[in-house]
Every structure is written in C-alpha cells, then in structure tokens.
Amino acid sequence: MARRLGIHDDPVLRLLNYGFDLYSGRNASINASYDAFYQKDVLREEGAKTIATSDIRASAGVAIHLLAKQYHHDSLPKSIYDTAEQNRRDKAERAVKGWWRQIDFGDHGYLRQGRSWQQHELAAWQILTGWAVQYTALVPGPDGLPMPIADLLDPTSTYPFWNGPYKELSDMLYMYNVSGRRLKAMAITQDFTIDEDIPDDTNVVILDTWEERYNKEDPKQPDILNSVFYTIGDPTPRFTGGWRKIRDFSNFSPNSLGKINGFTRLPFIVLRADDTPIAGSYETNMTKRFAKTSGGMINPMITEWKALNELMSTFWQDLQ
C-alpha cells in the first residue's frame, strides 16, 4: 500500500502548501462575494429583526445575463492567403463552431450535465470572482473522433503559478471532491490503482497537478507532467496530511506519447482578477494584491451593501 504523505513530504505538496498561503486573500475575498450574492444575513441575532437586501444579487444577475449573450469566438486569425488556404481556414472555423455546439449540447455537453451553457458559467465566474480558470483540450472520444473539453473550474480550488522562463504558466494545482464510488470509476477509466478499500459514500479529496518542465532534448517542446493525489474524508488536508499518490509525473507531451497528439502546453486558460495595468504597481505583495482585486464586481459593493443592511435592519427594529 502506498504510504501516506504529509504536506511537506513531496515537492508537489509543498507547492500546494505555499499556494494555500499565496491565495488565502483571493479565496477570502471570493467567499465574501459569495456571501453577499447569496444574501447571507451577517447581522442576524437571536430575537432581532434583520435583513440582507437583494441589491447585489439583482445587479450581478443582470450582468451575468448580459455577458452570457456574447457568442463564442470561433474565427481564426486573419492573414494573407490564397484561395486554397481560405478553404482550409473556412473548414477549420466550421470545425471550431461544431466543437462549441458539442460542448454545450453534445453527449458530454454542459446542458446534458444539468448545468448552464459554457458562456453563462464563464460570465458567472467572472462576475462573482473576477477569475476564470478553464481546462481546455481535444481528446479522443469513444468513437475515435476529437472530443472537445472546456471545463470551467472553481477558482478557489485552483492554485496556478507563473514560474516559467518568460513568466508563462508553469504549474496548475486543482483540488476537488468526489465520492468513493466516483474515485473507483476514475481508476478504471484513467488506468490507475487504488490499493485500499474505500466505501462508496466516503468523501475523497482529489489533488490534480500539472507542470510544464523544460526539456533539454527538445527545448521547443516542454514536458507536460501530471501527478494525482487523494486523501479520504479530510476537509483540511493541509494540516493533517494523509495524501496518497496514484499518478507520479506522467508525461502527456507529444515527445512522450511518440505521436503528433498530446499537450504542447499546459491545457489551462487562466484569467486573473489583477490583470489591470497598474495592479502590480499599486500592490506588490501578491497575496494582498489577489485579495484586493478578487471578488468580481461584487467585492467593491460589499461595504455599501453591509451599511445598507444595517440601516434597513435598524429601521425595521424601530418600527416594531
């Protein structure tokens, strides 16, 4: 049986531990945004009449609706080309449009999973958090044809790092919860072994990690490495440890696969909340910068929202 690993027993887990600190401010701001959007009554006291107004939720809902109506970008960059190249470009654009339809409506699409269409989820993440993190890939489907994936991830569960030689994305760590039953199904489809008996209804925390590493044999094509860990029923794995590794630096680059497919770069698109030009000059501490810029359009409204709730609650109590 694989030994249990503490947070300091593996380089990937040590990076995760650093990510917990680096992104603590971001997650706190986003959670405050969630509380305001879902009208959490922070003033509630036993026997007192209080209220959490709906102003923020209504405003955010309108903004999400407006952004969600934007069409997918499915046009390829224009250049100087002849008729033959134009035909190839048109064919490629039709393929991209078809992939987007498959993402929303196909057998593995959002609407088939009981979720909103992709543009609606993207708008919601940006409005509520200021971040967007998307796993993007074309993988072989059951019929052998390319299956498009554009999964939007919860930003508070992602820990990206830009440590590449040109400040490009170099690492992505993503945590999520599954049941014991789901973990067993993943083991069958993704070809890894679980060497302990896990009840079907047990909560399991998965840590899915990706690294883009320089390859001296082919400098133009880095290695794309994936490791996977899990821990059972532990909502605070940072402090109690108990991780088990089920995949150790599997290489998904074309160099490793020996064919033309594979990931040439990390398969993630990350839109950060601190992307304004002056953010780095205004706040050089990354943890504080993420805290000040995260929370989407809701974060700047929270102070006024709380003051309004206090005023409305006071009026309500005075009327009794």
Side-chain angles (χ1 to χ4, degrees):
M1 179 179 292
R3 72 183 182 93
R4 292 184 179 274
L5 300 172
I7 201 71
H8 299 291
D9 294 334
D10 186 276
V12 173
L13 296 178
R14 288 196 292 271
L15 183 62
L16 174 66
N17 192 50
Y18 171 65
F20 284 148
D21 291 327
L22 177 64
Y23 288 104
S24 59
R26 176 200 65 177
N27 288 1
S29 294
I30 290 176
N31 288 330
S33 174
Y34 291 161
D35 287 344
F37 180 75
Y38 288 109
Q39 297 174 250
K40 181 179 180 180
D41 191 351
V42 297
L43 302 174
R44 180 179 295 278
E45 295 180 2
E46 186 67 28
K49 291 290 187 179
T50 58
I51 190 171
T53 59
S54 61
D55 300 59
I56 283 181
R57 185 161 189 170
S59 300
V62 171
I64 292 170
H65 172 74
L66 293 175
L67 285 181
K69 296 178 69 176
Q70 303 298 315
Y71 292 105
H72 290 294
H73 293 290
D74 47 27
S75 295
L76 301 181
K78 295 183 181 297
S79 61
I80 300 174
Y81 41 73
D82 55 20
T83 302
E85 186 174 348
Q86 173 69 53
N87 292 334
R88 290 193 295 270
R89 183 175 178 273
D90 292 344
K91 184 176 181 180
E93 287 188 350
R94 288 195 297 271
V96 173
K97 290 180 180 179
W99 289 335
W100 277 121
R101 286 195 299 271
Q102 188 173 350
I103 284 171
D104 283 335
F105 304 105
D107 290 340
H108 301 278
Y110 276 65
L111 300 186
R112 291 294 299 272
Q113 299 171 2
R115 297 164 57 185
S116 297
W117 65 98
Q118 200 268 353
Q119 290 290 74
H120 189 272
E121 285 203 4
L122 175 60
W125 285 123
Q126 291 187 296
I127 292 297
L128 297 180
T129 73
W131 287 71
V133 183
Q134 180 175 286
Y135 172 73
T136 309
L138 276 175
V139 301
D143 54 4
L145 297 176
M147 183 177 72
I149 299 175
D151 282 345
L152 289 158
L153 311 179
D154 181 356
T156 63
S157 298
T158 62
Y159 302 88
F161 298 91
W162 288 266
N163 295 325
Y166 303 102
K167 297 184 179 180
E168 71 272 26
L169 184 68
S170 60
D171 303 87
M172 172 63 77
L173 283 63
Y174 173 49
M175 293 177 61
Y176 59 98
N177 294 280
V178 299
S179 65
R181 180 190 297 274
R182 176 62 184 150
L183 179 64
K184 295 171 187 176
M186 290 170 60
I188 295 173
T189 58
Q190 300 182 26
D191 193 26
F192 59 78
T193 301
I194 303 172
D195 53 7
E196 60 181 324
D197 185 25
I198 302 175
D200 288 347
D201 58 352
T202 298
N203 181 67
V204 180
V205 181
I206 301 290
L207 172 62
D208 192 6
T209 74
W210 293 81
E211 177 188 352
E212 184 173 305
R213 183 181 296 179
Y214 176 75
N215 176 14
K216 64 180 180 180
E217 295 181 0
D218 186 359
K220 294 182 179 180
Q221 176 53 65
D223 291 331
I224 307 299
L225 306 176
N226 174 239
S227 297
V228 181
F229 302 75
Y230 76 89
T231 185
I232 298 176
D234 184 3
T236 56
R238 175 180 186 181
F239 302 105
T240 59
W243 290 102
R244 295 190 189 279
K245 184 184 292 187
I246 50 181
R247 178 179 289 160
D248 189 13
F249 291 122
S250 295
N251 197 340
F252 284 86
S253 73
N255 285 333
S256 171
L257 298 175
K259 48 188 177 182
I260 59 174
N261 62 0
F263 295 129
T264 57
R265 290 293 184 269
L266 289 182
F268 296 93
I269 298 172
V270 183
L271 304 180
R272 284 167 41 171
D274 66 325
D275 58 358
T276 54
I278 64 171
S281 300
Y282 176 73
E283 179 57 75
T284 58
N285 181 286
M286 292 294 289
T287 300
K288 293 180 180 179
R289 188 197 307 176
F290 288 150
K292 290 177 179 179
T293 56
S294 297
M297 65 168 282
I298 293 178
N299 193 37
M301 303 166 64
I302 290 178
T303 300
E304 291 84 355
W305 178 72
K306 288 181 178 179
L308 175 61
N309 289 340
E310 290 177 0
L311 181 63
M312 297 293 290
S313 297
T314 300
F315 285 161
W316 196 1
Q317 293 172 21
D318 289 344
L319 289 173
Q320 288 185 309

